Amino acid sequence: MKRYSIVFCLLISSIVASQSLPDLYSQVKSSVVVVHIVSIAPKIAESNVSLLIKSSQGSGVLISEDGLIWTASHIVQTAELVQVEFLDGDVYEAEVISSNPLADVALIKIKKDFDLKEKKVAIIGDSDTLKVGEDIFVVGAPYGLKQSISRGVLSGRHIPDSLSNDFKNIEYLQTDAAINLGNSGGPLFNMKGEVVGIISSIYSASEGFSGIGFAVSSKTAKALMEKPTFWTGMHVILITENIAKALNIPQKSGLLVLTVSSKGIANKIGLRGGAIDATIDGVSLIIGGDIILDFAGIAIDTLNYRSLIEKKIQQSVKGDTIPITILRQGRIIVIKLKKEYGL
């Protein structure tokens, strides 16, 4: 009798593990949302300053009944307005709770206390158990085509030496599943219907899909979101060498502020974005904004400056003032960040 019980259990496990893709898609599709973004950036053209209003979208996945949604940082980083659209057509306004541009993962939350019990909450899986070669699938809104699905395999795992956050390694899962503009922030599922990654980017020489896509692993996303990173609301780029020289930076490197959301901490402390499109040393930039040189005594050209800055913020207490040295229109000035802005 015991022998038959074992055989029966193995049979059941085999059936569960071999669910068809259509069945899995049906189970998880309503947890996937379209993330609509409105952002604003100043532009200078023929000596006139105007505001450029941009609409864009990405994808996300509902991970709790109280409206928490995983998405990609680069989608919401400088957003003025965030809305999420569910499969049933319901649209809700959301706010950015946490954003980690280095790992490209963000957490947003539906603003009001709506009853979301009828919405499907995704199950977060353990990305460590996923083996290279295993089947996976992606659900999102590529080019605005809502609830699109693509299938592939886990092609590899990558932990770039240059990427860490508070000394935690950031892991990316590589896949050949079709990923295109609009998929960013959407979930990568294993064949149990569990979220094992958040879509981040593709590698492409033509800006189109070429069979190499990347997702932040669920293990990385969970670790970073357990200790939320405050939302700066600004898009910055590290500039070095020829670009640093062209912009007259008085050190080896700095952080050029490209765009700033009025809703984030950067705007509250007075940081300014740029307004002039330029190409320097083959790199397309928006120049004219502030260049961050130093944060609380930590020079931006210091090795592991990101982790040192995060550690400095964690060690400070409410009411502390943190000086930030910036280069603004040829002048070096200091602005102050108070430990009050949700840090």
Side-chain angles (χ1 to χ4, degrees):
M1 183 68 180
K2 188 175 182 180
R3 178 183 172 188
Y4 290 116
S5 297
I6 293 173
V7 172
F8 179 74
C9 288
L10 289 173
L11 179 61
I12 292 299
S13 297
S14 175
I15 293 171
V16 171
S18 62
Q19 289 187 83
S20 69
L21 187 56
D23 288 341
L24 284 170
Y25 172 69
S26 180
Q27 290 173 23
V28 304
K29 64 180 181 180
S30 58
S31 67
V32 181
V33 300
V34 181
V35 181
H36 298 282
I37 300 298
V38 174
S39 56
I40 300 173
K43 288 291 178 184
I44 294 180
E46 299 179 357
S47 300
N48 293 318
V49 179
S50 60
L51 290 178
L52 178 65
I53 300 175
K54 295 174 61 179
S55 296
S56 58
Q57 67 179 33
S59 303
V61 61
L62 182 68
I63 60 170
S64 75
E65 285 189 358
D66 59 350
L68 290 174
I69 292 168
W70 261 351
T71 188
S73 175
H74 73 265
I75 295 174
V76 300
Q77 185 61 18
T78 57
E80 294 291 334
L81 174 67
V82 182
Q83 291 182 324
V84 295
E85 180 183 354
F86 283 85
L87 175 64
D88 59 10
D90 286 346
V91 177
Y92 303 100
E93 190 171 347
E95 59 185 338
V96 182
I97 300 297
S98 177
S99 178
N100 192 310
L102 185 60
D104 198 18
V105 63
L107 191 65
I108 61 178
K109 187 178 188 300
I110 292 173
K111 277 190 173 182
K112 297 181 180 179
D113 294 327
F114 292 103
D115 184 4
L116 300 175
K117 290 182 180 179
E118 298 301 318
K119 308 299 183 187
K120 172 70 175 180
V121 175
I123 299 171
I124 300 173
D126 183 358
S127 54
D128 277 355
T129 64
L130 196 63
K131 297 178 182 178
V132 173
E134 279 193 42
D135 289 338
I136 54 84
F137 65 100
V138 172
V139 181
Y143 297 109
L145 301 172
K146 303 171 187 176
Q147 300 297 322
S148 294
I149 181 173
S150 59
R151 182 177 187 169
V153 299
L154 178 67
S155 308
R157 292 175 176 273
H158 301 278
I159 302 178
D161 294 335
S162 60
L163 294 184
S164 66
N165 187 277
D166 194 23
F167 307 105
K168 297 184 183 73
N169 287 329
I170 295 173
E171 181 185 40
Y172 289 94
L173 305 178
Q174 180 186 330
T175 180
D176 64 346
I179 294 172
N180 289 288
L181 185 67
N183 275 121
S184 291
L188 182 147
F189 291 102
N190 62 17
M191 297 308 287
K192 296 178 184 177
E194 300 169 336
V195 179
V196 289
I198 300 297
I199 300 301
S200 174
S201 61
I202 61 171
Y203 176 82
S204 173
S206 63
E207 297 186 357
F209 173 67
S210 59
I212 303 176
F214 298 96
V216 181
S217 70
S218 61
K219 180 180 180 180
T220 294
K222 283 179 68 176
L224 295 177
M225 291 298 104
E226 282 172 0
K227 195 169 190 179
T229 303
F230 63 89
W231 178 44
T232 63
M234 66 177 176
H235 181 201
V236 300
I237 185 172
L238 180 67
I239 51 174
T240 59
E241 300 176 347
N242 291 339
I243 299 177
K245 291 176 183 177
L247 296 177
N248 295 316
I249 298 177
Q251 59 189 47
K252 292 181 180 179
S253 60
L255 290 174
L256 174 63
V257 182
L258 302 178
T259 52
V260 176
S261 167
S262 67
K263 305 290 182 65
I265 293 172
N267 181 68
K268 292 177 181 177
I269 63 174
L271 284 171
R272 301 175 185 173
I276 306 169
D277 290 322
T279 300
I280 304 175
D281 203 27
V283 180
S284 296
L285 300 168
I286 302 173
I287 62 173
D290 294 335
I291 301 172
I292 302 173
L293 306 175
D294 178 289
F295 187 100
I298 302 165
I300 300 303
D301 58 6
T302 303
L303 188 65
N304 294 328
Y305 71 89
R306 295 184 184 93
S307 295
L308 293 174
I309 289 173
E310 184 169 326
K311 189 174 182 180
K312 188 77 173 181
I313 292 173
Q314 291 173 357
Q315 290 174 342
S316 62
V317 297
K318 188 174 182 180
D320 282 356
T321 299
I322 300 172
I324 303 173
T325 305
I326 64 172
L327 178 66
R328 175 179 290 170
Q329 297 178 351
R331 295 175 55 237
I332 293 178
I333 62 175
V334 177
I335 61 176
K336 296 179 180 180
L337 169 65
K338 273 197 173 183
K339 186 73 178 284
E340 294 176 351
Y341 297 115
L343 279 68

